[in-house]
Amino acid sequence: MSETQTFAPVAGGICAPQGFAAAGVHCGIRHNHEKPDLALIKADVRCAGAACYTTNKVYGAPITVDREHLADGYAQAILVNSGNANTCAPGGLELARATCELTAQALGIPAADVLPSSTGVIGQPMSLEPFAAGIPAAAARLSATAAGSSAAATAIMTTDTHPKEYAVEFTLGGKTCRLGAIAKGSGMIHPNMATMLLFLTTDAAVPPAVLQAALSAVVPATFNQISVDGDTSTNDTVILLASGLAGNAPLAENTPDYDTFVAALTAVAEHMCRELAGDGEGATKLLECTVTGAPDLPTARAVSRSVIHSTLFKAAMFGADANWGRVLCAIGYTPGDFDISRTAVRLKSKAGEVFVCENAALHPYSEEEAAKVLAEPEIEILIDLGSGTAAAKAWGCDLTYEYVKINGDYRT
């Protein structure tokens, strides 16, 4: 994929586009009353909808309902709870459907236009009672302001250390359009379709099939290219709703406006990838691996993922150790038939850049200078395979003692 176009960021997250409101409340799913645990996103109109889901064979009950409700390509609301994944739980499917009914009653819309999502502990029983109280409370607090987006972004957090939201502005057919996002994700993130929970809204007019095509084009280059810990979650979901209230002519594929929309979606997705990877459980550093000179795009993507996923390399980055051999090792076990003999590796940050590997062998460098480069909170790993023109990026984080502590105590 070519370099992402630059789009002006705007405030408001998922409420930045016209026609969307959001809220977040505590309803009692979490025992900690200081943490909100229920988010609601509502559109003024019925929206075109698109989604991508986890490829895990074990998946949450809400995903089954989402697939059913998006079969016609339209939806109007998203309901998200944290604290319980509603996966492998008795009566989970019936509960997911019942939450849609409660949301429909609170908002005055059809239950089939509600898309549920859940995140949290797997295999735990879940009660409808918190939803019965929380959904009307969230509906009463719906706000089309930045505060509404932030409240929803906070309510979907699990082990995240901060809310994640972003929005950009762009022009389609002379009309100003916006695209916003909120996400949660800190652990159980590995490239395999979608990642974590991520919700996108836009006021651009995009028919359902075109919207799905755009999302499906962006996911492989962005959300499939994140890895925090190698675990593909059971509930990974990305949902995109388009209200059409910006007033542009409905998009068609293979047109300049469609290309602009995909570029905007890519820009938002890449921003969220960095947010999610940088907030990996226990992480102290964001890692961005850029592969160039690959013989083809699948190889470029696979190599960048291998490096970001390498446990040994992630540990080296935590220790600010320029152990470039671990990069070569990860490249070497990447599936595919490609030549590594011309591989070059550079490590870069705000503190500078060190050239550590040339032609798959040591390039002399200063360990002291490398340590300074790797002490920064954002590290770039630049790999040139020297055997083609394809390029790709992947995002991850370092592996720390804190990651083990968080996941050792997760259920308590």
Side-chain angles (χ1 to χ4, degrees):
M1 180 172 287
S2 60
E3 287 297 313
T4 305
Q5 291 178 229
T6 300
F7 294 90
V10 293
I14 51 169
C15 295
Q18 295 182 60
F20 293 95
V25 299
H26 175 81
C27 70
I29 298 170
R30 290 180 176 275
H31 298 304
N32 185 341
H33 290 273
E34 295 181 359
K35 288 187 176 182
D37 51 15
L38 189 70
L40 181 61
I41 305 166
K42 193 250 183 182
D44 292 345
V45 297
R46 208 163 175 253
C47 298
C52 292
Y53 310 101
T54 183
T55 55
N56 197 317
K57 295 179 183 66
V58 177
Y59 53 86
I63 290 177
T64 296
V65 178
D66 288 341
R67 287 180 168 135
E68 293 171 353
H69 288 188
L70 266 181
D72 66 351
Y74 291 90
Q76 195 167 349
I78 299 171
L79 180 74
V80 193
N81 76 270
S82 58
N84 189 316
N86 192 9
T87 300
C88 302
L93 192 56
E94 291 77 9
L95 184 139
R97 289 180 174 138
T99 63
C100 293
E101 293 288 350
L102 290 172
T103 304
Q105 293 169 19
L107 301 180
I109 64 174
D113 283 343
V114 179
L115 304 178
S117 285
S118 299
T119 182
V121 180
I122 296 169
Q124 298 298 304
M126 203 172 187
S127 168
L128 189 62
E129 185 178 356
F131 292 94
I135 289 171
R141 294 190 189 182
L142 282 169
S143 170
T145 67
S149 177
S150 295
T154 301
I156 66 176
M157 291 166 51
T158 49
T159 54
D160 306 66
T161 64
H162 63 269
K164 301 170 179 68
E165 53 184 330
Y166 190 61
V168 299
E169 189 172 273
F170 52 101
T171 301
L172 297 176
K175 302 292 185 179
T176 299
C177 301
R178 290 184 170 185
L179 193 151
I182 63 170
K184 64 78 50 182
S186 197
M188 287 191 80
I189 294 179
H190 185 59
N192 215 346
M193 200 303 308
T195 105
M196 30 356 88
L197 298 183
L198 191 141
F199 307 104
L200 298 141
T201 60
T202 183
D203 49 18
V206 191
V210 179
L211 196 69
Q212 186 65 58
L215 185 62
S216 296
V218 170
V219 162
T222 56
F223 301 137
N224 271 8
Q225 295 291 104
I226 311 175
S227 187
V228 167
D229 52 19
D231 277 303
T232 300
S233 170
T234 59
N235 290 56
D236 295 342
T237 301
V238 175
I239 294 174
L240 170 58
L241 297 182
S243 71
L245 295 177
N248 62 291
L251 296 187
E253 290 186 65
N254 302 315
T255 62
D257 277 352
Y258 174 79
D259 292 342
T260 298
F261 180 76
V262 170
L265 184 56
T266 300
V268 171
E270 287 195 354
H271 179 92
M272 299 308 286
C273 285
R274 292 175 60 86
E275 284 276 311
L276 291 157
D279 195 31
E281 288 174 341
T284 65
K285 296 172 185 176
L286 167 67
L287 309 178
E288 180 178 270
C289 181
T290 302
V291 172
T292 57
D296 51 59
L297 186 56
T299 297
R301 288 176 175 169
V303 168
S304 60
R305 286 197 305 268
S306 286
V307 173
I308 285 300
H309 179 47
S310 166
T311 301
L312 287 174
F313 178 67
K314 287 156 68 70
M317 292 299 94
F318 172 58
D321 177 12
N323 192 339
W324 60 271
R326 293 180 178 179
V327 176
L328 266 289
C329 178
I331 295 171
Y333 60 61
T334 304
D337 183 15
F338 57 93
D339 180 20
I340 59 93
S341 64
R342 292 186 292 276
T343 300
V345 179
R346 290 174 170 81
L347 303 174
K348 181 180 179 182
S349 73
K350 289 183 179 179
E353 180 178 317
V354 286
F355 188 6
V356 295
C357 170
E358 183 177 21
N359 295 325
L362 171 69
H363 183 279
Y365 65 93
S366 162
E367 291 283 4
E368 182 179 347
E369 185 63 27
K372 290 180 181 178
V373 169
L374 296 181
E376 294 294 317
E378 296 188 8
I379 309 297
E380 294 181 60
I381 304 96
L382 308 176
I383 300 169
D384 184 353
L385 295 180
S387 57
T389 59
K393 290 183 180 180
W395 298 267
C397 60
D398 56 346
L399 179 62
T400 71
Y401 309 127
E402 188 66 15
Y403 176 86
V404 177
K405 183 178 185 300
I406 288 170
N407 284 283
D409 296 339
Y410 184 68
R411 293 207 306 163
T412 55

